[in-house]
Amino acid sequence: MNNIRKNRIKDQAFKYWGIACTLLGLVLLAIFIGNILIDGIMRIDWDFIVNLPSRKAERSGIYTALMGSIWVLLLTTLIALPVGIAAAIYLEEYNKKNKLSTILEVNISNLAGVPSVIYGLLGLEVFVRIMEMGSSVLAGSFTLALLILPIVIVSTREALKAVPKSVRDASFAMGASKWQTVYHQLLPASFGGILTGVILALSRAVGETAPLIVIGALAYVPFAPSSAMDEFSVLPIQIFNWITRPQHGFVENAAAAIIILLLITFVMNGIAVYFRNKWQKKFK
Amino acid sequence: MIKKKKKQDSIIDSSLKRKYKLQAKNVKVWYGDFLAIKGVSMDIKPNKITAFIGPSGCGKSTFLRLFNRMNDYVDSFRMEGEINIDGDNIYDKDINVELLRKQVGMVFQKPNPFPKSIYENVAYGLKIQGIKDKKFLQERVEESLKQVGLWNEVEDDLNKSALALSGGQQQRLCIARTLAVEPSIILMDEPTSALDPISTAKIEDLIYQLKEKYTIVIVTHNMQQASRISDSTAFFYMGDLIEYDKTNKLFTNPEKEQTENYITGRFG
């Protein structure tokens, strides 16, 4: 009897502790967003988005940084997507399980944990210097593509793994080759899962600052990039730059830019969640 | 037909063809160090239903999957001996496995339609052969669905997801999908074990009709099923073929004591 009551109390205690832990993150996020909104929401108007950077805070806009972020995002996608998905397909569907493949797999997971600034150093050496891309959008995109490649590979493999073995059996038994099975069955069936992983990886890339600073992305760029070889800035670098300025106006600008950046990542995550839910229904 | 290089058939070969559709010659299978099939030889006649029975783990499914080389995907799989279809050893180096599987269809234990429309499911085998002619595809889809008695039930829903069908309908769809590529042999791995009695009866009727055109090999746990539909039955135990005979004979008057014990329910 006593034991039963003790267990019940423990059970209740853990429940409330769990609720508190769950709320902790959310409350912090809410405080953060509230703070930023108070500081920055009044600053956001059309001019803020389409203006070029300026010495005067009230005339500055995020146009070049926003365009830089969009360029980087698109090029990163173009580079990381085909490479990451192809690597994942190879590892999951073609690769025979042996010691070498285990080492390969463990190290790809390890890559996901390498600090992003290290990727910046790699990008600086390989893309900026050896391949002579300079501090261009392209060099930045290759660097970020490397950074998110392990995430794309791991999440694509998870999505492929989630396709029941019976689908592969059925396809092979119909006389399909491996590639036909991948192309006609596995990719369509895992599309939602792959997309979710890719979007989450990209929303990480869009917030990255350190590797881009290392490869020489600039805090002040007078014009938006018009080709892949142009110099560029991105939103996080612009925010970082503004925050370090003493004038109050720039702090407001930084808050406003943070709101825009958050909006972009929230929308991307939202799309990811939407596809995940839609895709999960498929096999149930 | 399944060979890349066509070689001249001798007279002996072609007479063999008429007599036996499938032949296994002293087949041994290992998974790693485990000997799963311990040297089995067997001849299967065309246009007959042959049932494989035996307790779980006796090797009957493994043996079935040799005929369309589905064991090739198991990493630790290794085999010795010969499996001949129409006199050709399908484990020869110059065998095209994709072509082999177009000739040897397979239906699985759990209905496994593709997560696509009913139409796409049936047309899949033809499409991957590169057939694009819409009219031809449509005709084949209709014909195959009629063969399995599903046409009237799904006629208006061809573009709906195959996963929305009931289990029995899904299994008939899987059979239709196999028939669409016009195989000569159909392997069935416990095709009704996941289905209710009414769906099972429908599938059994269907299998019985199909033997007119196809050679059918079926693995089953259900001994009534084996005795109802098959012409010959093979009893496997611990990786050995214990007894292989006309179904009537095997169920009424088995030669081996192990067979008798199994079919009378004394073990397994």
Side-chain angles (χ1 to χ4, degrees), chain A residues 17-86:
Chain A
W17 173 243
I19 291 174
C21 290
T22 312
L23 287 179
L24 181 71
L26 286 177
V27 168
L28 286 178
L29 183 68
I31 292 173
F32 168 69
I33 289 177
N35 240 332
I36 293 293
L37 281 178
I38 292 167
D39 282 346
I41 194 77
M42 299 304 289
R43 184 65 186 83
I44 296 179
D45 53 21
W46 187 243
D47 280 347
F48 181 68
I49 290 171
V50 298
N51 273 3
L52 300 175
S54 157
R55 272 182 299 123
K56 293 195 180 102
E58 60 276 14
R59 281 179 54 197
S60 283
I62 55 167
Y63 185 69
T64 54
L66 185 63
M67 281 315 182
S69 278
I70 291 172
W71 266 93
V72 168
L73 205 58
L74 287 179
L75 285 179
T76 303
T77 313
L78 284 180
I79 299 162
L81 209 68
V83 177
I85 292 178

Side-chain angles (χ1 to χ4, degrees), chain B residues 153-168:
Chain B
E153 294 163 52
V154 302
E155 196 176 355
D156 301 321
D157 301 326
L158 289 180
N159 291 318
K160 285 201 182 145
S161 168
L163 299 183
L165 297 173
S166 74

Side-chain angles (χ1 to χ4, degrees), chain A residues 201-217:
Chain A
L202 286 174
S203 69
R204 172 163 177 209
V206 79
E208 276 299 338
T209 324
L212 295 180
I213 290 178
V214 174
I215 68 148

Side-chain angles (χ1 to χ4, degrees), chain A:
Chain A
M1 194 62 190
N2 210 3
N3 246 338
I4 291 174
R5 187 176 295 163
K6 236 190 227 165
N7 281 338
R8 196 170 290 161
I9 291 171
K10 272 188 198 162
D11 197 33
Q12 288 293 314
F14 182 79
K15 188 174 132 194
Y16 288 113
W17 173 243
I19 291 174
C21 290
T22 312
L23 287 179
L24 181 71
L26 286 177
V27 168
L28 286 178
L29 183 68
I31 292 173
F32 168 69
I33 289 177
N35 240 332
I36 293 293
L37 281 178
I38 292 167
D39 282 346
I41 194 77
M42 299 304 289
R43 184 65 186 83
I44 296 179
D45 53 21
W46 187 243
D47 280 347
F48 181 68
I49 290 171
V50 298
N51 273 3
L52 300 175
S54 157
R55 272 182 299 123
K56 293 195 180 102
E58 60 276 14
R59 281 179 54 197
S60 283
I62 55 167
Y63 185 69
T64 54
L66 185 63
M67 281 315 182
S69 278
I70 291 172
W71 266 93
V72 168
L73 205 58
L74 287 179
L75 285 179
T76 303
T77 313
L78 284 180
I79 299 162
L81 209 68
V83 177
I85 292 178
I89 290 172
Y90 171 75
L91 287 171
E92 197 56 41
E93 305 297 330
Y94 285 80
N95 195 16
K96 286 241 165 85
K97 306 273 175 282
N98 54 34
K99 270 217 174 102
L100 187 75
S101 68
T102 315
I103 294 172
L104 217 63
E105 283 170 25
V106 169
N107 280 303
I108 284 175
S109 307
N110 280 343
L111 274 181
V114 172
S116 59
V117 70
I118 309 283
Y119 281 98
L121 291 170
L122 179 73
L124 178 66
E125 191 54 38
V126 175
F127 302 125
V128 178
R129 295 198 180 134
I130 296 175
M131 296 175 79
E132 295 182 343
M133 293 179 189
S135 302
S136 63
V137 178
L138 195 61
S141 303
F142 268 108
T143 307
L144 288 184
L146 276 189
L147 177 76
I148 65 167
L149 210 50
I151 312 176
V152 174
I153 292 174
V154 170
S155 59
T156 303
R157 291 189 64 188
E158 289 307 317
L160 287 171
K161 256 186 216 152
V163 181
K165 187 175 168 289
S166 62
V167 172
R168 289 175 184 80
D169 280 349
S171 182
F172 290 141
M174 293 299 299
S177 65
K178 226 161 209 185
W179 170 245
Q180 284 175 323
T181 302
V182 167
Y183 183 79
H184 292 290
Q185 301 297 341
L186 303 182
L187 284 181
S190 58
F191 177 75
I194 293 174
L195 201 65
T196 306
V198 168
I199 293 172
L200 290 179
L202 286 174
S203 69
R204 172 163 177 209
V206 79
E208 276 299 338
T209 324
L212 295 180
I213 290 178
V214 174
I215 68 148
L218 302 173
Y220 174 80
V221 188
F223 301 105
S226 57
S227 85
M229 297 314 288
D230 284 350
E231 293 186 317
F232 70 106
S233 183
V234 288
L235 277 174
I237 294 181
Q238 181 72 73
I239 292 165
F240 177 68
N241 173 262
W242 275 338
I243 280 175
T244 54
R245 304 257 190 115
Q247 299 95 324
H248 182 73
F250 284 111
V251 175
E252 251 178 45
N253 282 1
I258 288 173
I259 294 172
I260 305 278
L261 186 58
L262 275 180
L263 212 63
I264 294 173
T265 48
F266 282 177
V267 167
M268 286 171 75
N269 287 355
I271 295 171
V273 169
Y274 171 77
F275 276 109
R276 187 166 52 211
N277 290 344
K278 203 174 153 188
W279 168 70
Q280 270 172 350
K281 275 184 206 141
K282 225 172 168 178
F283 289 111
K284 279 176 187 167

Side-chain angles (χ1 to χ4, degrees), chain B residues 171-199:
Chain B
Q171 195 61 304
R172 278 186 284 153
L173 179 71
C174 290
I175 297 175
R177 174 175 76 186
T178 305
L179 298 182
V181 294
E182 302 187 295
S184 62
I185 300 164
I186 301 175
L187 310 173
M188 299 188 167
D189 193 354
E190 300 182 40
T192 61
S193 65
L195 304 179
D196 63 87
I198 293 170
S199 304

